[in-house]
Amino acid sequence: MEQKIYINGKFVSRSEARVSVFDHGFLYGDGVFEGIRAYEGKVFKLREHVDRLYKSAKAIMLEIPVQKGEMTETILTTLRENNMQDGYVRVVVTRGEGDLGLDPRKCSRPSIVVIADKIELYPDELYKNGIEIVTVATHRTFPSMLDPHIKSLNYLNNIIAKVQATNAGAIEALMLTGEGYVVECTGDNIFIVVNKTLITPPPSVGTLDGITRNVVMEIAEGIYEVCEKLFTLYDLYNAEECFLTGTAAEIIPVKKVDGRIIGDGVPGSITSSMTKKFRELTKKVGVPI
Ligand code: PMP
């Protein structure tokens, strides 16, 4: 069966799925998106993802032409139309078709696209042994440039960072603030463990307000100390453990940063226990498809 894509109120087959070349999402990256996961017939943290989509849209003054309830239903219907119980959903809302100028007022109506697809994970071996990341020259955008809270279609900054990491032979790029504080990776938030305390940078430093990040903080509560705090590469290199979090990657251990082995060089006990609890939760909760 060919994949069915939702575009502006209709389902079309993948080969027929088209947007205009005059869409400002295509011309300027003018739009917002979400990446959502379904596990065993349930959509994980659906409300949180839909809320974040509308917050991103509000921040760029893009009025999504449907209410949150209808958007939620469209996401679920897209999964049903594709007979998917497990997978990844990409929701994209662009400014819509306009002229070649920047002015968003020339765009008639935002375009909504929902794609349900298989999830591409890192290989199993990396979850068992951890990944290697490197710090790159490209900083995360500052809130005064493009607020990193906005999950916008403008990911070029992160793509440049990713290219720098792959050129250096690493799988992920670690981005810093201009002052040298650790922010996050190109598509994942970061945690370190110091004295058995889980530490993650505060969103105010320029991280995306990651939904997996927030779930990890909730799961850890009452078991470990958790804090949002600025930290530097020195703290990271000397941490007991390090892991990344994201909807696609879930929780992935980091074994090496810039050539420095983290902790014992294998996934630590707190990382493993968080992974176990996270996986249990994804099987238990969610909005039924
Ligand atoms: N940071 C960035 C830059 C991201 O793009 C993402 C999501 N792809 C994340 C962090 C993780 O966020 P979430 O857990 O909500 O997927």
Side-chain angles (χ1 to χ4, degrees), residues 81-145:
E81 287 281 329
N82 288 280
N83 282 325
M84 283 182 79
Q85 299 294 303
D86 291 88
Y88 181 85
V89 181
R90 174 60 56 90
V91 183
V92 181
V93 184
T94 73
R95 190 76 64 176
E97 206 174 324
D99 62 18
L100 290 181
L102 287 176
D103 192 347
R105 290 171 306 179
K106 303 275 179 61
C107 301
S108 43
R109 187 183 160 85
S111 296
I112 302 176
V113 174
V114 184
I115 307 168
D117 210 347
K118 287 187 200 71
I119 178 83
E120 280 207 20
L121 290 174
Y122 286 126
D124 237 9
E125 182 266 324
L126 296 179
Y127 286 90
K128 276 195 203 105
N129 302 322
I131 61 169
E132 198 173 333
I133 62 174
V134 291
T135 309
V136 294
T138 303
H139 296 146
R140 192 74 172 97
T141 51
F142 310 132
S144 58
M145 293 151 62

Side-chain angles (χ1 to χ4, degrees), residues 33-35 49 52 140 151 155 158 184-189 208-213 245-248:
F33 77 102
E34 271 302 318
H49 281 285
R52 190 171 64 184
R140 192 74 172 97
K151 206 162 161 55
Y155 255 51
N158 296 31
E184 63 179 350
C185 290
T186 64
D188 297 303
N189 292 108
L208 183 79
D209 196 7
I211 288 165
T212 320
R213 167 192 185 277
T245 62
T247 297

